[in-house]
């Protein structure tokens, strides 16, 4: 089996779309394993910018097979829109949807918004796409609707009615007013469009792997947003770490040849929760504006800060990362000094190089920084030897501090602005 996995190592938005597009050139099958349209993956080809929330980014390469894996939660409307754009490109690629993937229903989006409003200042800062409530239904089972339920109009109607009846008290409590008839009127045309794409995805992927096809599993979000290993409760509701790649596809760990971890050359975060290296100064504003750090999904301004190697090492270890893809190196150009957090000082005066697992402890740490000389603001050519010497030595330092080799450096959004090492 030849399986590669691409995972985000920070709080999402690492530039995975571009990296997946790059590695997909040599893959036959590209699979999204987790999450939903809380993700926003950008791929820039020539003068065209594409943004995907659900379809695997690898589908921009010609003649690929894309699979929306069983670990995903999917908004029918968003998927139909992306499919229409994908079909219009007709690049020889095709796509399938796991029958085990879960459907985001209109009430999930309502519950997401209602939950955030009720939480007030303690809100998670979700993307508001109904992700958490849909995974909640999956865990709860009786109120879950899967893509298999979409395979006939009759089965879907029965399921919607059944779940609707079950959730009535919660609808009344939270002010959800749509009727079953209204919901079906909106969703039935989408169901009809999507039903032919539904497959037994795990058997399909296992057969692909056993027949020698190269498979690339595409992660969404990032390790620090992991439901189990991230900064709980300020996390997403799935596992963007390596475990999610397996549970979200059914492919076995034994087939994995490499785990590519994607990290920006600095750090960003959107939503609530601790962010030790966050900058509230001119350098932070510089990164935000030069890096165009706005959420692809929500348009929210992302907080920016220095690269946090304490967090990066943790993400490398829990994922078993074999190599790094370093993105947005160009954004650091023009800064006189560049800092990297190498350990954390705790309020009791001790210093740790371990990432605290208790979010309350993480919220109280002070980063201890190493400082490097910057380089000029000129645009960077995608050739290693032509990078400014300080940019090359910054990459070398990250490699040493993270403990894994950097195999890909991205120096701009375009597909060709990529250096393979
Ligand atoms: P949810 O996934 O919409 O429930 O949001 C939970 C947290 O994860 C919030 O802080 C979101 O901002 C964050 N989040 C979810 N998806 C992404 C992503 O793709 N990039 C960055 N942050 C994300």
């Amino acid at each position: 089996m030849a399986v590669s996995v691409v995972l985000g190592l920070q709080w999402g938005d690492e530039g995975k779309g571009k990296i997946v597009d790059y590695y997909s050139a040599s893959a036959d099958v590209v699979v999204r394993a987790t999450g939903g349209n809380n993700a926003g993956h950008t791929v820039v080809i020539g003068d065209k910018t594409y943004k995907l929330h659900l379809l695997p980014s690898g589908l921009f390469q010609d003649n690929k097979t894309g699979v929306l894996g069983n670990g995903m939660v999917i908004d029918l409307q968003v998927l139909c829109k992306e499919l229409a754009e994908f079909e219009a490109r007709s690049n020889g690629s095709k796509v399938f949807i796991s029958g085990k993937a879960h459907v985001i229903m209109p009430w999930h989006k309502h519950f997401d918004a209602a939950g955030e409003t009720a939480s007030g200042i303690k809100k998670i800062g979700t993307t508001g796409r109904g992700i958490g409530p849909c995974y909640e239904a999956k865990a709860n089972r009786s109120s879950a609707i899967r893509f298999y339920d979409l395979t006939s109009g009759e089965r879907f109607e029965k399921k919607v009615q059944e779940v609707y009846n079950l959730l009535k008290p919660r609808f009344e409590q939270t002010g959800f007013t749509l009727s079953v008839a209204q919901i079906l009127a909106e969703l039935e045309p989408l169901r009809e469009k999507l039903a032919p794409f539904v497959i037994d995805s795990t058997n399909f992927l296992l057969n692909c792997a056993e027949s020698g096809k190269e498979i690339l599993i595409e992660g969404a979000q990032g390790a620090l947003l992991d439901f189990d290993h991230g900064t709980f409760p300020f996390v997403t509701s799935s596992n963007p770490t390596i475990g999610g790649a397996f549970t979200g596809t059914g492919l076995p760990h034994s087939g994995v040849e490499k785990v590519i971890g994607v990290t920006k050359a600095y750090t960003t975060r959107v939503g609530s929760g601790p962010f030790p290296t966050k900058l509230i100064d001119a350098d932070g504003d510089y990164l935000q504006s030069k890096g165009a750090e706005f959420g692809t999904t929500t348009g929210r301004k992302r907080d920016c800060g220095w690269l946090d190697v304490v967090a990066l090492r943790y993400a490398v270890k829990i994922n078993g990362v074999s190599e790094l893809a370093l993105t947005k190196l160009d954004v650091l150009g023009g800064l006189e000094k560049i800092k990297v957090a190498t350990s954390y000082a705790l309020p009791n005066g001790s210093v740790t190089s371990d990432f605290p697992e208790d979010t309350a402890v993480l919220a109280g740490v002070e980063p201890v920084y190493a400082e490097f000389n910057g380089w000029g603001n000129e645009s960077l050519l995608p050739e290693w030897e032509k990078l400014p010497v300080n940019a090359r030595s910054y990459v070398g330092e990250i490699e040493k501090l993270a403990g894994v080799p950097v195999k890909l450096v991205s120096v701009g959004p375009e597909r060709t602005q990529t250096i393979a090492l």
Side-chain angles (χ1 to χ4, degrees):
M1 264 190 210
V3 179
S4 302
V5 189
V6 175
L7 298 171
L9 300 182
Q10 299 172 303
W11 280 289
D13 309 321
E14 298 90 354
K16 292 180 293 295
K18 174 179 169 166
I19 303 303
V20 167
D21 173 64
Y22 177 89
Y23 283 105
S24 298
S26 59
D28 302 298
V29 183
V30 287
V31 200
R32 258 282 301 265
T34 57
N37 62 314
N38 46 351
H41 296 155
T42 307
V43 179
V44 181
I45 306 166
D47 58 2
K48 290 211 160 66
T49 298
Y50 302 95
K51 290 181 193 298
L52 287 176
H53 301 282
L54 290 168
L55 292 180
S57 304
L59 288 174
F60 286 109
Q61 300 281 353
D62 296 344
N63 306 313
K64 304 295 168 194
T65 299
V67 178
L68 282 85
N70 61 273
M72 290 188 71
V73 290
I74 298 171
D75 184 311
L76 305 185
Q77 206 152 27
V78 176
L79 181 55
C80 280
K81 185 167 173 282
E82 278 189 14
L83 267 180
E85 288 160 8
F86 163 73
E87 284 168 344
R89 281 196 297 278
S90 56
N91 67 348
S93 290
K94 53 185 188 245
V95 72
F96 299 106
I97 309 164
S98 173
K100 295 187 282 190
H102 283 246
V103 180
I104 296 181
M105 295 297 289
W107 53 77
H108 293 143
K109 289 179 261 189
H110 172 80
F111 292 159
D112 198 351
E116 288 284 87
T117 307
S119 302
I121 54 160
K122 287 195 166 161
K123 70 178 184 182
I124 292 165
T126 72
T127 58
R129 301 301 189 257
I131 307 296
C134 188
Y135 278 117
E136 185 188 331
K138 178 178 179 177
N140 154 287
R141 290 150 292 162
S142 49
S143 64
I145 300 182
R146 307 199 296 175
F147 270 73
Y148 282 131
D149 297 312
L150 264 55
T151 48
S152 88
E154 209 181 321
R155 181 170 169 178
F156 185 54
E157 186 176 338
K158 198 162 159 250
K159 189 76 193 173
V160 172
Q161 184 67 64
E162 182 188 308
V163 175
Y164 192 94
N165 291 344
L166 193 76
L167 293 175
K168 253 189 192 150
R170 193 167 169 192
F171 291 161
E172 278 158 22
Q173 199 189 356
T174 60
F176 179 77
T177 53
L178 289 181
S179 66
V180 170
Q182 284 170 316
I183 292 167
L184 287 173
E186 184 195 325
L187 298 187
E188 177 54 23
L190 307 174
R191 183 206 68 74
E192 247 176 62
K193 161 86 185 150
L194 295 173
F197 294 88
V198 176
I199 58 164
D200 286 353
S201 60
T202 301
N203 283 325
F204 178 81
L205 290 169
L206 288 169
N207 289 336
C208 287
E210 281 158 16
S211 66
K213 297 232 166 34
E214 294 222 1
I215 300 181
L216 186 121
I217 303 177
E218 173 181 342
Q221 288 83 44
L224 306 177
L225 287 172
D226 188 276
F227 190 44
D228 286 275
H229 302 293
T231 51
F232 195 92
F234 307 108
V235 291
T236 193
S237 311
S238 63
N239 290 114
T241 48
I242 191 75
F246 304 128
T247 55
T249 61
L251 287 164
H253 70 94
S254 53
V256 173
E257 285 185 334
K258 56 183 174 184
V259 179
I260 301 142
V262 188
T263 175
K264 273 180 193 164
Y266 52 97
T267 309
T268 61
R269 174 161 207 178
V270 62
S272 316
F275 176 0
T277 61
K278 176 170 152 180
L279 291 168
I280 315 167
D281 62 9
D283 287 340
D285 292 345
Y286 184 84
L287 295 172
Q288 203 278 327
S289 101
K290 188 165 177 208
E293 295 294 353
F294 291 96
T296 311
T297 299
T298 57
R300 288 180 292 180
K301 220 175 183 179
R302 297 175 185 143
D303 291 328
C304 297
W306 299 121
L307 183 67
D308 183 340
V309 178
V310 184
L312 181 62
R313 270 194 303 257
Y314 171 73
V316 163
K317 286 183 194 171
I318 60 174
N319 285 309
V321 166
S322 51
E323 60 190 70
L324 291 176
L326 184 70
T327 60
K328 293 191 127 175
L329 183 66
D330 52 304
V331 175
L332 292 177
L335 290 165
E336 203 180 321
K337 296 281 178 197
I338 297 167
K339 292 185 187 177
V340 168
T342 52
S343 57
Y344 294 150
L346 296 163
N348 66 7
S350 65
V351 172
T352 180
S353 51
D354 287 337
F355 187 74
E357 292 176 51
D358 182 351
T359 305
V361 174
L362 183 70
V365 302
E366 272 300 323
V368 178
Y369 288 112
E371 195 175 84
F372 305 104
N373 290 324
W375 56 91
N377 199 12
E378 68 273 16
S379 58
L380 301 180
L381 292 171
E383 284 177 57
W384 178 248
E385 281 72 27
K386 293 198 176 147
L387 289 184
V389 66
N390 287 348
R392 276 184 279 157
S393 77
Y394 183 68
V395 175
E397 291 297 338
I398 292 170
E399 196 167 67
K400 265 192 265 165
L401 290 165
V404 271
V406 174
K407 292 281 191 176
L408 209 67
V409 178
S410 170
V411 293
E414 219 278 328
R415 205 183 231 178
T416 54
Q417 292 176 295
T418 311
I419 305 169
L421 298 173

